[in-house]
Amino acid sequence: QVAWVTGAGSGIGKALALELARQGASVAVSGRRAKNLEDVARELEAAGARALPVTCDVTDEDDVARAVETIARELGGMHVAIANAGFSVAGSLESLSAEDWRRQLDTNVVGAAMTCRYALPHLRKTQGRIALVGSVAAFTPAPKIGAYCASKAAVRAMGLSLAIELHGSGVSVSIIHP
């Protein structure tokens, strides 16, 4: 099977990619930092997996569309797409600018939505799975991470809505809340 992990250059994304490879998947890893992706791809290949590093900024819709087409062409389709790319803007609500909020929501929410949008045609062909990486912050807000908590609550709501939309289509949805 072919799996795509966004934000796979480090952290949870890298760990997901390594586990998918351990389970026998060919893994496309994407993110903004090409060197990190190349390092992860080498690690995946050293473990015996087929790996494809694809530089992609999930805040750029054209970049996401290009990444999906590259993955489908190079690896022969897609069975799993994991919308993991994200980060946290820290600061009190009164200290965060509109630009801080836009960066937070563009990456964590809009980036996940575009990952789903462009992966879905390929996942429909394979009756695959979309996974959205949320956070316990969607359930337990904390001070000075309100923007992050709001973004992860939106990811949760998006995933629940998507599961309803896809019911009966053969494509399943998981929401992971580390």
Side-chain angles (χ1 to χ4, degrees), residues 105-157:
L105 298 174
D106 279 351
T107 300
N108 293 11
V109 180
V110 179
M114 293 304 98
T115 297
C116 294
R117 177 181 186 200
Y118 287 97
L120 264 171
H122 299 281
L123 297 172
R124 286 182 189 280
K125 293 176 190 173
T126 62
Q127 295 196 334
R129 176 177 301 269
I130 292 175
L132 298 139
V133 177
S135 169
V136 296
F139 302 94
T140 55
K144 301 204 179 190
I145 58 167
Y148 178 75
C149 294
S151 74
K152 292 304 185 173
V155 168
R156 178 178 179 269

Side-chain angles (χ1 to χ4, degrees), residues 19-20 31 33 37-38 42 45 47 51 58 65 82 86 89 92 94 101 119 122 125 131-132 154-155 172 176 178:
E19 179 59 23
L20 288 161
R33 296 180 301 267
L37 298 175
E38 290 162 9
R42 275 193 294 279
E45 289 167 348
V58 297
I82 302 177
V89 169
S92 67
E94 67 184 324
W101 278 92
H122 299 281
K125 293 176 190 173
L132 298 139
V155 168
S172 57
I176 303 162

Side-chain angles (χ1 to χ4, degrees), residues 44-110:
L44 295 169
E45 289 167 348
R50 185 170 180 202
L52 178 67
V54 181
T55 305
C56 174
D57 180 345
V58 297
T59 67
D60 181 333
E61 186 174 359
D62 292 337
D63 222 16
V64 175
R66 179 198 51 78
V68 168
E69 291 311 312
T70 298
I71 293 161
R73 182 181 64 251
E74 296 294 322
L75 297 179
M78 187 180 297
H79 299 87
V80 176
I82 302 177
N84 169 71
F87 76 107
S88 177
V89 169
S92 67
L93 207 63
E94 67 184 324
S95 71
L96 296 179
S97 68
E99 183 54 32
D100 293 329
W101 278 92
R102 285 187 191 98
R103 283 186 315 112
Q104 183 71 92
L105 298 174
D106 279 351
T107 300
N108 293 11
V109 180
V110 179

